[in-house]
Amino acid sequence: MQYTDSFQQFTRALADALQLARTTGVGQQQIVARAEDVGDWLNRTVPPVSPEQRLLKELWDASTDQEQQAIASALVKMIQKRAPGLH
């Protein structure tokens, strides 16, 4: 996955990944769990570039494990809402 400066490009990349997961039969809970894993990895290794990425990093850093799961779930739902056919 390519990491970009643009939040729109970031969300398009997430939508592509969600579409692939859906077509291969991955369930919603598994998708959210993988989104949480990716969030952990991004937080540790990729410096935020855009204001949106910095906000996500600050939220992630301030959150408990349960709250991070909620953030990951909300991001997945946001992408699904924006991209028809991902529900």
Side-chain angles (χ1 to χ4, degrees):
M1 181 158 123
Q2 184 178 14
Y3 302 98
T4 64
D5 297 347
S6 165
F7 192 70
Q8 286 182 329
Q9 289 175 317
F10 172 70
T11 58
R12 277 195 296 268
L14 288 176
D16 291 345
L18 280 173
Q19 182 63 40
L20 178 62
R22 287 281 185 231
T23 59
T24 58
V26 178
Q28 184 74 11
Q29 286 182 319
Q30 291 172 307
I31 289 171
V32 170
R34 295 301 68 82
E36 191 176 356
D37 292 342
V38 169
D40 283 336
W41 180 80
L42 287 171
N43 191 50
R44 286 190 319 271
T45 61
V46 179
V49 180
S50 71
E52 297 90 350
Q53 290 171 352
R54 282 190 288 283
L55 174 61
L56 281 173
K57 179 171 178 41
E58 287 185 39
L59 286 171
W60 200 264
D61 287 341
S63 299
T64 65
D65 288 345
Q66 185 177 4
E67 291 166 334
Q68 289 173 353
Q69 184 179 17
I71 292 168
S73 180
L75 280 171
V76 168
K77 287 178 183 180
M78 179 186 76
I79 299 303
Q80 288 171 332
K81 184 177 179 180
R82 288 183 178 184
L86 285 180
H87 298 280

